[in-house]
Amino acid sequence: MTGDQPGAPQTRRGPIGALLHRFGHLIHELSKFATVGGFAFLVDFALFNYLASGRGMPPLAAKTISTIIAATIAFLGNRFWTWRHRQRSNPAREYALFFFFNGVGLGIAVACLAISHYGLGAIWPGVFQTPLADNIASFIVGTGLGTLFRFWSYRRFVFVEAGTPPVPATSHDRQSGA
């Protein structure tokens, strides 16, 4: 014997294990973001339908009001739960950027609703000017596209990672003499 002790056995990771190891933090953030977003979605959905159907408010106005209230709930959930581990910068900056990007997300949802209700509804009013069509256009298509945009923008611009080093510049000059 040479005295060498075998080390701890290395466990081999499969492709799923490697992905989880590499993107586990992102999956964790995404699951929290989805939970907060799911709750805000329920508030948005219930309030939109109450205002549009129960109170007779026009669909675009109802969607705007319901989204603003749901966005406030989402801001609080994301700031104090989803990205609580990230450094807090200026709260006014975070709040302003959050609502700016929510405005863009609202624009995406309202555009989907407007295209369906008024654009396609002008061609097939019996199909596209119904509460079911408004809900599909607003909540499935609009919220789906808006959610993808929101996750990317919140993570990138609102709740930034503290101390993230800048990407180093690449050097095109070779000093190795080759």
Side-chain angles (χ1 to χ4, degrees):
M1 287 207 90
T2 62
D4 292 331
Q5 298 291 324
Q10 298 278 334
T11 56
R12 293 179 50 115
R13 289 182 223 205
I16 301 294
L19 285 173
L20 286 174
H21 179 71
R22 182 172 175 102
F23 297 108
H25 69 285
L26 186 63
I27 293 168
H28 186 70
E29 282 183 355
L30 190 56
S31 65
K32 284 182 170 183
F33 177 79
T35 301
V36 169
F39 183 72
F41 174 84
L42 291 175
V43 170
D44 190 10
F45 181 80
L47 192 54
F48 169 76
N49 282 294
Y50 170 73
L51 294 172
S53 297
R55 305 291 290 175
M57 188 178 280
L60 296 181
K63 181 62 181 165
T64 301
I65 291 168
S66 68
T67 299
I68 289 170
I69 292 170
T72 302
I73 292 168
F75 174 79
L76 295 171
N78 283 314
R79 170 69 277 167
F80 296 107
W81 188 50
T82 305
W83 286 295
R84 73 174 177 231
H85 63 282
R86 292 191 173 197
Q87 179 181 5
R88 288 186 173 92
S89 61
N90 181 345
R93 176 198 150 281
E94 286 180 352
Y95 193 73
L97 284 174
F98 187 89
F99 278 92
F100 170 75
F101 290 124
N102 260 296
V104 175
L106 169 63
I108 292 169
V110 169
C112 292
L113 175 60
I115 290 168
S116 172
H117 190 86
Y118 298 109
L120 296 173
I123 300 168
W124 298 293
V127 175
F128 289 100
Q129 290 184 344
T130 65
L132 176 62
D134 289 347
N135 278 293
I136 290 171
S138 177
F139 290 104
I140 294 175
V141 178
T143 300
L145 294 173
T147 297
L148 293 173
F149 172 77
R150 285 180 182 110
F151 181 75
W152 171 79
S153 62
Y154 296 166
R155 194 169 198 284
R156 176 77 170 100
F157 299 109
V158 181
F159 306 114
V160 295
E161 192 78 50
T164 303
V167 176
T170 58
S171 176
H172 294 290
D173 57 330
R174 298 207 166 180
Q175 297 185 12
S176 63

